[in-house]
Amino acid sequence: MNQSADGARRAPLSRERVLRAAVSFADGAGTDAISMRKLAQELGVVPMALYKHVANKDELLDGMVELVVGEIGPPGAGEWQRTMREHILAARRVLLRHPWAAGVIQSRTSPTPAVLGHLDAMAGLFRTGGFSVALTHHAMHAMGSRLLGFSQELFDDTGAAPDPAVLRQLALAYPHIAELAGAADHDGTSTVGTCDDQAEFEFALDLLLDGLERLRAAGGTEHQR
């Protein structure tokens, strides 16, 4: 049995222990900072010991995604729209705890089993909620990465309020963008409040869910051209 420097008994190395250490490392430093050597140092083992459990960094990242998505758990039961909304926001809370995870999920060339299971459960919510196969297909495309609790924004406008002088310069070339940038941080009457990422996520999510419910209730099955 391995002994740590202070003589305390150490848990045997396993795939789960390697992956959990990698997730913890990425939570603090991001995935770019991970290497097999650094991870081995974190675990107190030689790098070659890791290769018994993960073949390379790509397999390591896939396993990390599996752990994180596994934290989301299964959806609850009940009316489809409320259940879908609650489950998506639960997924978002998980991904906010692991800010690197969205980028890794997007970078994978094929979805991991946990991601496929999550998406299958979401499709199941649509189907048991009265959606046809065709409308479920459209809905899954429309929701996109929001089903996993994140979205790809056009630009990041969640920082500090822009300098008024910069806004004036911006307005000369891009008047509408400048108008939005100025309003985002200062318009207290906005329906979503200040430019807050969570508020914007929920605003778009509710628009999509409300629109999908109208299509479902109307018996819509095909995209209207």
Side-chain angles (χ1 to χ4, degrees):
M1 176 68 68
N2 290 331
Q3 299 293 320
S4 63
D6 62 2
R9 192 178 299 274
R10 186 165 54 204
L13 196 64
S14 65
R15 179 178 173 84
E16 181 174 357
R17 185 171 168 231
V18 169
L19 295 178
R20 291 197 181 282
V23 167
S24 179
F25 188 100
D27 288 347
T31 54
D32 287 344
I34 292 181
S35 68
M36 300 299 262
R37 179 182 60 80
K38 290 180 181 178
L39 187 56
Q41 288 176 343
E42 289 288 313
L43 288 162
V45 299
V46 297
M48 286 304 298
L50 300 182
Y51 291 101
K52 297 178 181 178
H53 306 284
V54 288
N56 49 45
K57 188 172 179 178
D58 275 340
E59 187 175 314
L60 179 70
L61 291 172
D62 281 343
M64 292 163 65
V65 167
E66 288 287 280
L67 275 187
V68 169
V69 175
E71 291 179 24
I72 300 171
E79 186 270 331
W80 84 266
Q81 188 170 348
R82 177 184 58 77
T83 303
M84 177 77 68
R85 187 181 196 277
E86 290 175 353
H87 196 50
I88 287 173
L89 293 180
R92 181 168 176 78
R93 287 191 293 274
V94 169
L95 264 68
L96 288 175
R97 291 201 299 268
H98 307 287
W100 52 270
V104 174
I105 290 170
Q106 292 179 93
S107 74
R108 299 296 83 197
T109 55
S110 59
T112 68
V115 170
L116 284 174
H118 178 82
L119 296 178
D120 185 73
M122 303 306 268
L125 285 178
F126 284 124
R127 292 291 287 128
T128 58
F131 283 63
S132 67
V133 172
L135 187 54
T136 297
H137 182 112
H138 291 316
M140 296 290 284
H141 277 285
M143 296 295 288
S145 66
R146 281 188 175 83
L147 292 169
L148 281 157
F150 67 93
S151 60
Q152 181 64 50
E153 300 296 342
L154 288 174
F155 43 76
D156 181 8
D157 55 4
T158 60
D163 185 285
V166 173
L167 272 181
R168 285 194 294 271
Q169 280 191 318
L170 189 65
L172 295 176
Y174 312 106
H176 300 301
I177 294 296
E179 179 183 47
L180 291 175
D185 285 293
H186 305 296
D187 183 6
T189 64
S190 169
T191 57
V192 292
T194 58
C195 194
D196 173 88
D197 188 55
Q198 182 69 22
E200 299 293 355
F201 184 90
E202 293 188 33
F203 179 75
L205 175 60
D206 288 338
L207 284 179
L208 284 164
L209 293 177
D210 288 346
L212 290 168
E213 169 57 17
R214 285 195 293 273
L215 282 175
R216 185 205 64 80
T221 57
E222 298 298 333
H223 176 57
Q224 300 299 312
R225 300 184 186 276

